[in-house]
């Protein structure tokens, strides 16, 4: 897997490089510090599987440049990782075909899961927008980070998100404590997170009231 990270801040590039390293054992990262460098890599024939870019970098002159990039590399997914917090600007960017708009304040575990979702063909919209992401095929349902869970695991995750303990989950679902622990472990593994708190955060960020 080859990922292009375009951001003029070294700490952001370093953080994202570390993060995408968890997407694939063989991931290779190319870094660009300006939009001119992005164009240079593409003009040179570089091939990428994913592009993650900032909206505020030298050489990037507004949404027209973003639209040109999205069209040029299609169907390679382009993800915007930005400090921009204007809902109107987020919507405008997503309307160009950008597959995900990730605010830089997003938890790193959620960022990783969003990138996995995008690579699987899905899209992500910040909860602040409260709408579905624009897509060329509105009828197609985008994959979800929860698609890999069984119905029972979704039930367990729903109750985890409500703050119930393993004992309380067992009583609610008619399961013994050992079985509940097994389901919780399966949920964490399927979501790629290391704790119940991170799993619950994914549910909260998804904006979904219930998973089942």
């Amino acid at each position: 897997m080859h990922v292009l990270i375009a951001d003029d801040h070294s700490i952001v590039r370093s953080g994202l490089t570390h993060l995408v390293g968890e997407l694939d054992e063989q991931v290779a990262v190319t870094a660009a510090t300006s939009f001119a460098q992005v164009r240079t890599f593409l003009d040179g024939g570089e091939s990428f599987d994913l592009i993650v870019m900032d909206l505020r970098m030298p050489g990037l002159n507004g949404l027209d440049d973003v639209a040109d990039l999205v069209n040029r590399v299609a169907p390679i997914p382009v993800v915007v990782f930005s400090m921009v917090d204007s809902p109107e600007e987020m919507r405008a960017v997503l309307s160009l075909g950008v597959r995900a708009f990730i605010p830089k304040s997003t938890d790193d575990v959620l960022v990783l899961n969003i990138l996995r979702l995008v690579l699987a063909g899905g899209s992500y919209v910040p909860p602040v927008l409260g709408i579905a992401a624009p897509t060329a095929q509105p009828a197609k349902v985008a994959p979800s980070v929860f698609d890999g869970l069984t119905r029972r695991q979704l039930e367990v995750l729903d109750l985890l998100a409500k703050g119930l303990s393993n004992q309380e989950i067992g009583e609610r679902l008619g399961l013994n404590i050992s079985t509940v622990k097994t389901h919780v472990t399966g949920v964490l593994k399927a979501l790629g997170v290391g704790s119940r708190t991170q799993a619950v955060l994914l549910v909260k960020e998804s904006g979904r009231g219930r998973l089942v």
Side-chain angles (χ1 to χ4, degrees), residues 117 120 141-151 153-154 190-191 208:
L117 174 65
V141 178
S144 163
V145 290
F146 307 111
D147 285 349
L149 301 181
T150 66
R151 181 173 181 81
Q153 287 174 333
L154 288 171
L191 295 179
R208 295 167 62 169

Side-chain angles (χ1 to χ4, degrees), residues 29-156:
V29 174
T30 295
T33 60
S34 69
F35 196 64
Q37 276 193 321
V38 172
R39 285 185 167 132
T40 297
F41 289 134
L42 295 175
D43 290 343
E46 291 272 11
S47 177
F48 301 101
D49 299 292
L50 173 68
I51 296 176
V52 183
M53 62 178 289
D54 191 12
L55 280 183
R56 304 285 190 261
M57 75 175 95
L60 180 59
N61 299 311
L63 297 182
D64 286 345
D65 280 347
V66 178
D68 288 344
L69 175 65
V70 170
N71 292 330
R72 177 175 181 176
V73 303
I76 297 167
V78 175
V79 171
V80 166
F81 186 64
S82 176
M83 287 294 292
V84 169
D85 58 5
S86 163
E88 290 75 19
E89 192 164 359
M90 290 180 184
R91 290 191 182 95
V93 170
L94 289 167
S95 72
L96 302 175
V98 168
R99 291 278 289 281
F101 194 111
I102 309 176
K104 286 185 176 178
S105 58
T106 305
D107 179 83
D108 57 351
V109 174
L110 181 56
V111 172
L112 185 58
N113 278 286
I114 293 169
L115 295 181
R116 286 177 176 145
L117 174 65
V118 167
L119 287 168
S123 58
Y124 176 82
V125 177
V128 67
L129 296 186
I131 59 172
T135 171
Q137 297 177 313
K140 182 178 179 181
V141 178
S144 163
V145 290
F146 307 111
D147 285 349
L149 301 181
T150 66
R151 181 173 181 81
R152 179 61 85 186
Q153 287 174 333
L154 288 171
E155 290 173 342
V156 169

